[in-house]
Amino acid sequence: DAKTTQPPSMDCAEGRAANLPCNHSTISGNEYVYWYRQIHSQGPQYIIHGLKNNETNEMASLIITEDRKSSTLILPHATLRDTAVYYCIVRVSNAGGTSYGKLTFGQGTILTVHP
Amino acid sequence: DTGVSQNPRHKITKRGQNVTFRCDPISEHNRLYWYRQTLGQGPEFLTYFQNEAQLEKSRLLSDRFSAERPKGSFSTLEIQRTEQGDSAMYLCASSSLRTSGSSYNEQFFGPGTRLTVL
């Protein structure tokens, strides 16, 4: 799986958008971009994933650049409960679209949302 | 609660003792994963099962570590002759086998078992 690079920490004011960047310049054509987060003392939680199109769900939006070498996770209206470590992961998927096996976590970005 | 559960949540043991952790995955999830997380680091993969078959093991899983999933439901992770370096959070996750539709294989994580080896 391709390696990702994330800033170690970021701050955001409550109610504002949090934009978390991720570089994955060696991503392959069959690798998807996943985002998980881990709130203190809890297990990681899936947020969103994508291949090449922008994606949105009830938690966040994922913007992937056209060359797929980087992406941004957007939390549109950050709350204090969004304070967590955010992990960007790229992961192989087979031709049928199913991903197998392990997640390879880096150190992630510690997002702190301030009142 | 129908999420992934892990027991115990905390375990303190003396060096050299054996410990066993249990993970109950989400019902009907046929994939089960074990990860280890030390302070300030992201989780590291240890092993994973599809049903009762152990399909992949990390090099982190030394001979002192053994994992089982005998009936394809719950799983146990045993550490023999614990060492202080084994102190960590042990996380379990489960996922379903998707063969069509969305391309992702979302893993649902339990709260973890925190092991402290004195």
Side-chain angles (χ1 to χ4, degrees):
Chain A
D1 293 343
K3 182 178 178 180
T4 62
T5 304
Q6 299 178 252
S9 63
M10 294 184 66
D11 290 339
C12 178
E14 189 177 20
R16 305 297 296 269
N19 298 282
L20 293 96
C22 179
N23 287 321
H24 31 78
S25 59
T26 60
I27 193 169
S28 301
N30 63 347
E31 287 182 315
Y32 284 70
V33 180
Y34 290 77
W35 284 83
Y36 279 73
R37 74 179 182 184
Q38 187 172 24
I39 295 170
H40 183 61
S41 296
Q42 297 182 20
Q45 175 192 23
Y46 165 83
I47 302 173
I48 199 167
H49 75 284
L51 179 63
K52 55 183 178 181
N53 298 319
N54 298 339
E55 303 287 345
T56 296
N57 64 18
E58 65 278 4
M59 290 183 68
S61 294
L62 174 59
I63 308 298
I64 302 173
T65 57
E66 190 170 347
D67 64 7
R68 302 209 322 121
K69 292 184 177 182
S70 65
S71 60
T72 301
L73 178 75
I74 301 173
L75 307 179
H77 305 287
T79 71
L80 299 178
R81 288 176 294 181
D82 292 322
T83 293
V85 181
Y86 287 77
Y87 297 101
C88 171
I89 299 166
V90 291
R91 189 156 174 245
V92 172
S93 170
N94 69 12
T98 302
S99 297
Y100 295 107
K102 65 193 178 200
L103 293 166
T104 302
F105 292 84
Q107 292 190 309
T109 295
I110 301 171
L111 174 69
T112 304
V113 181
H114 297 286
Chain B
D1 190 311
T2 57
V4 177
S5 62
Q6 293 186 247
N7 288 289
R9 293 292 309 276
H10 303 274
K11 178 70 176 179
I12 300 173
T13 191
K14 292 182 178 179
R15 188 177 49 161
Q17 297 295 305
N18 299 343
V19 295
T20 300
F21 310 140
R22 176 175 170 130
C23 171
D24 287 90
I26 292 172
S27 179
E28 298 180 357
H29 275 191
N30 60 349
R31 291 183 180 162
L32 187 147
Y33 308 79
W34 285 99
Y35 294 83
R36 181 174 71 183
Q37 186 173 27
T38 54
L39 196 63
Q41 303 297 315
E44 297 173 293
F45 170 77
L46 292 178
T47 188
Y48 105 89
F49 293 83
Q50 182 166 307
N51 299 314
E52 65 276 9
Q54 189 172 18
L55 297 187
E56 186 176 354
K57 292 194 293 185
S58 162
R59 285 173 292 179
L60 292 174
L61 213 67
S62 75
D63 291 344
R64 297 184 298 105
F65 288 69
S66 63
E68 294 183 344
R69 195 183 183 198
K71 297 183 179 180
S73 57
F74 73 92
S75 175
T76 58
L77 178 67
E78 180 182 16
I79 309 174
Q80 296 181 328
R81 304 180 303 281
T82 53
E83 301 173 356
Q84 288 184 324
D86 297 331
S87 295
M89 176 74 82
Y90 289 84
L91 293 160
C92 176
S94 70
S95 69
S96 64
L97 178 62
R98 294 178 180 264
T99 57
S100 63
S102 175
S103 61
Y104 72 93
N105 182 25
E106 178 184 346
Q107 293 187 18
F108 292 84
F109 283 81
T113 294
R114 181 166 295 284
L115 173 66
T116 301
V117 181
L118 302 176

